[in-house]
Amino acid sequence: MEKFRANLMLCAGTGCVASGTTKVRDALREEIQKRGLDEEIKIVLTGCNGYCAEGPVLSVYPDEIFYQKLTVEEIPKLVEEHFLKGRPYEKLMFKEPEKKTAIPLMKDIPFFKHQVLRVLRNKGLIDPEKIEEYIARDGYQAAAKALTRMTVEDIIKVVKDSGLRGRGGAGFPTGLKWDFASKVKSDIKYMLCNGDEGDPGAFMDRSVMEADPHSVIEGMIIGARAIGAHNGYIYVRAEYPLAVKRLHLAIDQATEAGLLGKNILDTGFDFELEIYLGAGAFVCGEETALMRSLEGKRGMPRPRPPFPAHKGLWDKPSVLNNVETLAQIAPIILNGSDWYRSLGTEKSTGTKVFALTGAINNVGLVEVPMGIPLRTIIYDIGGGPKKGRKFKAVQMGGPSGGCIPESLLDIPVTYEDIVATGAIVGSGGMVVMDDNTCMVGTAKFFLEFTADESCGKCTPCRVGTKILLDMLTDITEGKGKEEDIDTLLDLGRDIIATSLCGLGQTAPNPVLTTIKYFRDEYESHIKHKWCKAGVCRNLTTFWIDEKLCKGCGACLRGCPSKAIMGEKKKPHKIIQELCVRCRSCYEACKFKSIKILPANFEGDPSELVGVTTETETKKGEA
């Protein structure tokens, strides 16, 4: 058995690979060999570590030292300091933003220490391309238990008692879905996995498939046994090549080990598993549309009932669970329902994985107990907005989710509480927005996506989303009317009530929530032709406050249209006729001397309500 002084767990998930993991790995190998350490140190390529914004990242075991933002240039120094001189290399460690002190251990870094890992239990700890490493961490023990020591009723009872709800968006009780399918008499049934993950900014399922593919397969084996299915499919989008590669490899390894195929573990139970590549249609995340796509047809939803548990893939009883749901199954079977319910709330049990993105310091993948305050995720784990910016809202639930304002940050993250805000938990996307964000423009952005992705089968979604989008476009271009706000609300509610599937039933959420919490921005766009965030170009004028301008020239250098003039150390001016309202000057100014005014503003800008100098602001605060 190989024994190494140190195991270098180098993240090789998609995010870190894109940031240079391959070159870092090669540099590490070269340096370790050059120093004569190749028999003492082992490099292991793992799946996603979760701290995506800091990639490439590396964890050194057994020391548990965490390094981030690795570069080829720093590798020689890292190897020399840590592995020759025995002192961890502080330069590549995480630093506290304010104190600038290094935190060597991963478990002490704020991004990690508030997390509880169940779905992501193996992240950064195993080579996802070696089944032996999964087995070494209790892999396939739950499948063995389910197949050899539990009845179908036992399996379903444990899952039902755990309170596990589908993590794909709808939040339907998983055990109940399995129970329905198990009671239907049919010679052919199907166990399906939804790895399509179409939400912009979401990468939870991709990361699990890349980092721990066997956890998904084990969950499918147990589910197949529970419902009586002998065939299964993993539906995964073709845009996930690394996930597809590792899933194929995992299926081959599990089949060779007797964990898939005929007579699994000599129990007489058969289960064949295949991968089906989707073409990236958002609507195929809906279960009936996904099944039509699997059949080789156009992915379009159908009315329910009948539900897939009775009439699903090829009109046979079928169960579809998403990747995260299936990855929860093995620990539940192994540890019991009470163990799982020890985290979360009564109706929202266990943990949930979220993809934290947007205008926030710590972008990445996080797993937290259900019921945790939203503020803890945004600030304690995510590190809050970038320096100098203020939190404005967080979009939850993907493009069909809703925007939650700062006033509601202390709500617990449960299915019920999030729905009460007008948003949804969805599959787990969290897009953070700061005060640079126009909420009308945000609603328009998400409507563009859902309107484009509508399959067109039902009129409310096909026509309704297009009307909503046209109205939002008019508002952002200065053509809005005061009655438009009420029309948006009425039409949005009608689309929700009458659409065929989940896409149409949730598409208006971004509009409804932004009007609910940021109605003043809609009114400003319509009444004053003013986008206060300076995003909607037709509703924006930029003006330099001479009292604040230091004449540093940053705005002048950043202006692509040469619309700024001025001498060094003297106040600059914007030539409005040349300004293309791109915000470059506003972003470049460090002294907040550039103000955002209504379109075609005339008069003395300093007298405009809401525009103040720093001196005036301080007086007001005093």
Side-chain angles (χ1 to χ4, degrees):
M1 182 178 177
E2 291 181 314
K3 287 188 177 181
F4 294 90
R5 175 161 63 92
N7 287 277
L8 311 189
M9 314 304 286
L10 180 62
C11 175
T14 293
C16 281
V17 168
S19 299
T21 283
T22 304
K23 292 181 179 179
V24 168
R25 176 204 60 194
D26 294 343
L28 270 171
R29 283 177 177 170
E30 182 181 344
E31 193 65 26
I32 288 170
Q33 189 172 23
K34 187 169 74 174
R35 301 280 189 169
L37 300 171
D38 42 322
E39 293 186 2
E40 300 178 44
I41 298 173
K42 181 181 180 180
I43 300 172
V44 179
L45 295 182
T46 72
C48 176
N49 170 278
Y51 208 0
C52 305
E54 304 303 309
V57 299
L58 169 71
S59 298
V60 181
Y61 285 89
D63 304 355
E64 297 190 21
I65 302 297
F66 179 78
Y67 294 115
Q68 60 182 24
K69 294 182 177 178
L70 301 179
T71 63
V72 172
E73 294 74 21
E74 292 290 346
I75 293 303
K77 193 69 174 176
L78 169 64
V79 173
E80 179 184 346
E81 290 292 312
H82 192 135
F83 303 110
L84 287 179
K85 297 181 179 179
R87 52 191 188 202
Y89 189 38
E90 190 171 307
K91 185 176 179 180
L92 294 178
M93 291 179 185
F94 173 86
K95 308 285 194 313
E96 288 186 286
E98 294 181 2
K99 299 178 182 178
K100 300 297 181 183
T101 54
I103 301 179
L105 301 183
M106 186 167 70
K107 64 183 180 64
D108 295 328
I109 296 172
F111 180 81
F112 295 108
K113 73 178 183 180
H114 296 282
Q115 297 190 45
V116 178
L117 305 183
R118 289 185 172 178
V119 173
L120 306 179
R121 56 193 178 274
N122 293 324
K123 76 176 179 72
L125 295 175
I126 64 171
D127 181 342
E129 297 187 3
K130 292 184 178 179
I131 190 173
E132 299 84 1
E133 296 200 13
Y134 178 71
I135 291 173
R137 288 184 56 80
D138 296 333
Y140 289 108
Q141 285 196 27
K145 179 181 178 181
L147 267 57
T148 62
R149 292 158 46 198
M150 299 176 74
T151 65
V152 167
E153 292 76 20
D154 291 337
I155 297 170
I156 292 174
K157 185 177 188 307
V158 170
V159 177
K160 284 175 75 173
D161 289 349
S162 74
L164 175 65
R165 297 171 65 167
R167 298 306 198 232
F172 190 82
T174 303
L176 196 57
K177 183 184 282 191
W178 289 12
D179 194 22
F180 290 153
S182 72
K183 292 177 179 176
V184 179
K185 293 183 179 181
S186 176
D187 293 335
I188 300 176
K189 295 181 182 181
Y190 294 101
M191 185 71 199
L192 310 174
C193 171
N194 181 357
D196 190 56
E197 193 170 51
D199 292 0
F203 49 95
M204 301 79 59
D205 293 347
R206 186 201 75 204
S207 298
V208 172
M209 290 185 287
E210 290 177 0
D212 203 8
H214 288 284
S215 68
V216 181
I217 294 171
E218 185 172 14
M220 293 190 74
I221 294 169
I222 297 167
R225 166 65 176 152
I227 69 170
H230 300 292
N231 294 91
Y233 293 92
I234 301 176
Y235 187 100
V236 56
R237 55 180 45 221
E239 293 98 321
Y240 285 176
L242 185 57
V244 171
K245 172 196 169 186
R246 289 178 176 169
L247 282 168
H248 273 300
L249 187 59
I251 289 173
D252 291 343
Q253 291 174 343
T255 302
E256 187 177 344
L259 297 164
L260 281 176
K262 302 294 184 182
N263 191 27
I264 297 174
L265 298 177
D266 293 325
T267 61
F269 179 68
D270 304 335
F271 184 57
E272 304 283 348
L273 188 56
E274 297 180 46
I275 294 173
Y276 185 94
L277 299 185
F282 181 65
V283 74
C284 285
E286 196 275 340
E287 60 179 0
T288 60
L290 183 150
M291 292 175 195
R292 296 293 82 83
S293 179
L294 263 173
E295 294 170 355
K297 303 172 184 175
R298 182 179 179 185
M300 299 178 76
R302 63 164 175 77
R304 296 174 298 175
F307 291 97
H310 294 87
K311 190 176 181 181
L313 183 64
W314 287 298
D315 293 334
K316 299 297 183 181
S318 307
V319 163
L320 176 71
N321 294 125
N322 92 312
V323 167
E324 185 183 340
T325 308
L326 291 164
Q328 297 263 24
I329 296 299
I332 291 174
I333 295 298
L334 213 51
N335 299 294
S337 56
D338 289 342
W339 168 84
Y340 190 74
R341 296 189 73 96
S342 66
L343 292 178
T345 66
E346 183 181 354
K347 294 183 179 179
S348 296
T349 60
T351 62
K352 177 75 186 81
V353 180
F354 292 98
L356 197 56
T357 62
I360 194 165
N361 281 299
N362 301 331
V363 171
L365 205 65
V366 304
E367 183 174 5
V368 294
M370 295 294 283
I372 190 174
L374 186 54
R375 186 182 298 276
T376 299
I377 299 176
I378 302 297
Y379 282 92
D380 296 341
I381 297 175
K386 301 284 186 179
K387 186 176 180 181
R389 301 260 58 96
K390 294 180 180 179
F391 175 88
K392 191 169 191 177
V394 58
Q395 169 84 358
M396 282 193 66
S400 303
C403 296
I404 301 175
E406 185 178 24
S407 60
L408 297 179
L409 276 184
D410 291 314
I411 63 166
V413 177
T414 67
Y415 287 98
E416 299 75 28
D417 289 292
I418 297 300
V419 167
T421 69
I424 55 175
V425 171
S427 59
M430 276 193 188
V431 182
V432 177
M433 291 166 274
D434 63 20
D435 52 354
N436 269 334
T437 307
C438 169
M439 301 312 294
V440 184
T442 295
K444 175 174 171 281
F445 171 81
F446 287 116
L447 249 295
E448 286 173 340
F449 180 85
T450 48
D452 185 60
E453 291 291 340
S454 172
C455 74
K457 185 172 184 177
C458 74
T459 304
C461 180
R462 181 183 70 248
V463 178
T465 54
K466 181 63 169 61
I467 295 173
L468 284 179
L469 178 58
D470 288 345
M471 293 180 69
L472 288 171
T473 301
D474 283 346
I475 292 173
T476 58
E477 292 179 353
K479 304 171 188 174
K481 303 181 291 293
E482 289 191 37
E483 59 268 24
D484 285 351
I485 299 178
D486 289 333
T487 304
L488 286 169
L489 291 171
D490 291 339
L491 180 57
R493 294 177 187 127
D494 289 343
I495 294 171
I496 289 173
T498 56
S499 289
L500 173 62
C501 82
L503 191 153
Q505 291 163 11
T506 56
N509 283 344
V511 182
L512 300 183
T513 53
T514 50
I515 292 176
K516 180 178 180 180
Y517 300 117
F518 303 96
R519 190 182 183 111
D520 61 312
E521 293 197 28
Y522 281 82
E523 292 172 346
S524 177
H525 278 62
I526 294 170
K527 295 179 183 178
H528 307 298
K529 309 301 179 189
W530 186 10
C531 175
K532 294 183 179 181
V535 174
C536 304
R537 296 193 182 193
N538 287 6
L539 307 180
T540 301
T541 297
F542 291 98
W543 168 74
I544 298 177
D545 187 338
E546 295 183 7
K547 297 177 182 177
L548 297 177
C549 181
K550 307 296 183 183
C552 67
C555 60
L556 188 150
R557 292 189 295 272
C559 179
S561 62
K562 301 187 184 303
I564 298 177
M565 58 181 293
E567 298 179 24
K568 192 174 182 179
K569 295 186 179 181
K570 291 185 179 180
H572 288 28
K573 290 186 179 181
I574 297 175
I575 304 170
Q576 297 299 333
E577 292 77 15
L578 298 179
C579 180
V580 294
R581 301 173 179 85
C582 65
R583 283 175 58 99
S584 296
C585 60
Y586 182 79
E587 297 290 347
C589 182
K590 298 179 180 179
F591 303 102
K592 298 183 180 179
S593 64
I594 298 180
K595 305 300 180 181
I596 300 170
L597 309 181
N600 304 316
F601 179 79
E602 295 180 0
D604 183 357
S606 63
E607 295 178 357
L608 184 69
V609 175
V611 178
T612 59
T613 65
E614 285 187 354
T615 304
E616 290 167 335
T617 301
K618 288 175 182 176
K619 286 180 180 177
E621 290 174 350

